[in-house]
Amino acid sequence: VSGWPCIKKGTTSGSTAIPSTVTFEYVTRWIQITNTGSAAIAISFADPEDADPSGTPKTYYTLQSGKETPRLELKCVKLYINTLTGSSAVTYSIVAGLTAIPAAGFPDISGLTGVSH
């Protein structure tokens, strides 16, 4: 079954210490992220502030400026996006397919190996 369409746009804070939090109302079936800014971004599934005082995530996917991820077949309800340079804010856009499962029905995955910091 195809996912319900969802589009989100955002801007990072420009600080590696303050991640942008992207929240979905329903569990995703898939996501695709485009870095529309001028610097690389770090995408993670656990809040970097929970583990590192600098806010720089230790477990993340790097997305270079002007690039997009492939369609990622992932179930999640939250993403954290940081700049890696800490010098300027970076814009991004996300397209996702959502399931019929409300976010409240999704377990906290932030402690899993490969997700946690």
Side-chain angles (χ1 to χ4, degrees), residues 46 51 67 77-78 99-100 107 117:
K67 301 293 183 180
V77 293
K78 205 177 275 190
T99 66
H117 301 291

Side-chain angles (χ1 to χ4, degrees), residues 25-41:
E25 290 183 59
Y26 292 88
V27 176
T28 63
R29 182 180 177 284
W30 58 268
I31 57 175
Q32 186 170 25
I33 305 162
T34 303
N35 181 344
T36 56
S38 58
I41 57 175

Side-chain angles (χ1 to χ4, degrees), residues 78-90:
K78 205 177 275 190
L79 296 171
Y80 299 91
I81 302 177
N82 285 58
T83 58
L84 286 174
T85 60
S87 60
S88 63
V90 178

Side-chain angles (χ1 to χ4, degrees), residues 26-80:
Y26 292 88
V27 176
T28 63
R29 182 180 177 284
W30 58 268
I31 57 175
Q32 186 170 25
I33 305 162
T34 303
N35 181 344
T36 56
S38 58
I41 57 175
I43 302 161
S44 54
F45 298 94
D47 189 346
E49 292 183 331
D50 289 345
D52 187 341
S54 74
T56 303
K58 291 187 174 21
T59 315
Y60 61 89
Y61 179 89
T62 302
L63 188 58
Q64 298 298 327
S65 172
K67 301 293 183 180
E68 68 183 23
T69 66
R71 181 175 143 160
L72 302 169
E73 300 284 336
L74 297 173
K75 292 180 181 176
C76 69
V77 293
K78 205 177 275 190
L79 296 171
Y80 299 91

Side-chain angles (χ1 to χ4, degrees), residues 6-31:
C6 178
I7 298 174
K8 295 189 177 252
K9 292 185 176 201
T11 304
T12 64
S13 69
S15 166
T16 57
I18 304 170
S20 260
T21 303
V22 179
T23 310
F24 299 98
E25 290 183 59
Y26 292 88
V27 176
T28 63
R29 182 180 177 284
W30 58 268
I31 57 175

